[in-house]
Structures are given as structure tokens and as C-alpha cells.
Amino acid sequence: MSHEHEFVSNTSKIWKVFGILSLVTIIEVILGILKPDALQFSNFMGMNLLNWIFYALTVYKAYYIVYSFMHMDGEKTALRYAVVLPVIFLILYILFILLTEGNYIYGVFKNSTIKWNF
């Protein structure tokens, strides 16, 4: 009897994960197709707000995938944070480095005689 109950709860958990990840993906696709002017042409920290929303939704999806598929929902809070927070920190750090270096390279090519050849 307990095995049947476990199967039902796992099935509902799978559908819940599927629903949440699908909803976030649908929001990303709709925003990518529509590209609202209020989000696309408003700058926040050197980048438009639409890109920041995409980054936030992507980090949320990565966190939720780790949380669900690595079975972190049943673990203690300290272990969850010890696994997930370094990954989120590294993603944000890489994002910062890429944006900083990309902005520098854009400035070099924009203000010099070197032309874009790629």
C-alpha cells in the first residue's frame, strides 16, 4: 500500500516540476517574441531590463532543476544552500565577467579605427 502512495506522490511531483519549468519557459518565450518596449528600452546597470529578466528566470530554472532532480527538497536547509548557492554565485560571477569584458571590447571597437571583422 505504501508503494502505491509513493508512486502517486512522485507522479504529482513530476507534474508539478513539469508545470513550473514549462510556465517559466513560456514566460521567457512570450517575452522574447513580444519584446515589450518598456522592458527593452529601459536600462538597468548598463543593460536593458528585458535581459535582466531573462537572466533571473534562467538562474531560477537552474536552481529549480537542481532542487528537484537532485532531490534537494528532502534535505536539510544547510545542505541545500551549500550545494545551490555556490552554483548561483558562480553563474552570476561569470555573467559579471562576460558583461564587463564584452562592454570593454565593445568600447574598444566603437572608439577606435579597428573595424568589426567578425
Side-chain angles (χ1 to χ4, degrees), residues 16-27:
K16 178 184 172 189
V17 170
F18 174 75
I20 290 173
L21 292 176
S22 296
L23 180 69
V24 173
T25 303
I26 289 169
I27 291 171

Side-chain angles (χ1 to χ4, degrees), residues 21 41 78 99:
L21 292 176
F41 296 117
L99 291 175

Side-chain angles (χ1 to χ4, degrees), residues 50-65:
L50 186 62
N51 284 347
W52 284 112
I53 291 173
F54 284 139
Y55 290 138
L57 290 174
T58 302
V59 169
Y60 174 76
K61 280 186 358 182
Y63 169 78
Y64 196 73
I65 288 169

Side-chain angles (χ1 to χ4, degrees), residues 4 10 16-17 23-25 31 41 43 45 47-48 61 64 70 78 80 86 88 95 101 110 112 116:
E4 182 179 323
N10 284 339
K16 178 184 172 189
V17 170
L23 180 69
V24 173
T25 303
L31 286 174
F41 296 117
N43 285 331
M45 292 177 53
M47 195 168 48
N48 64 22
K61 280 186 358 182
Y64 196 73
M70 291 181 67
R80 277 188 267 165
I88 291 175
L95 178 66
E101 293 296 321
K110 181 180 176 188
S112 73
W116 295 96

Side-chain angles (χ1 to χ4, degrees), residues 31-99:
L31 286 174
I33 291 172
L34 296 179
K35 294 181 184 173
D37 290 340
L39 298 176
Q40 190 173 6
F41 296 117
S42 61
N43 285 331
F44 177 70
M45 292 177 53
M47 195 168 48
N48 64 22
L49 199 55
L50 186 62
N51 284 347
W52 284 112
I53 291 173
F54 284 139
Y55 290 138
L57 290 174
T58 302
V59 169
Y60 174 76
K61 280 186 358 182
Y63 169 78
Y64 196 73
I65 288 169
V66 169
Y67 182 78
S68 297
F69 294 120
M70 291 181 67
H71 306 287
M72 288 291 166
D73 50 352
E75 298 296 335
K76 295 192 183 265
T77 306
L79 180 62
R80 277 188 267 165
Y81 287 142
V83 170
V84 173
L85 287 181
V87 174
I88 291 175
F89 173 75
L90 288 174
I91 290 171
L92 294 175
Y93 183 63
I94 289 171
L95 178 66
F96 170 76
I97 290 173
L98 289 173
L99 291 175

Side-chain angles (χ1 to χ4, degrees), residues 3-19:
H3 180 67
E4 182 179 323
H5 176 68
E6 182 179 325
F7 178 73
V8 171
S9 80
N10 284 339
T11 303
S12 65
K13 180 182 173 186
I14 290 170
W15 281 109
K16 178 184 172 189
V17 170
F18 174 75

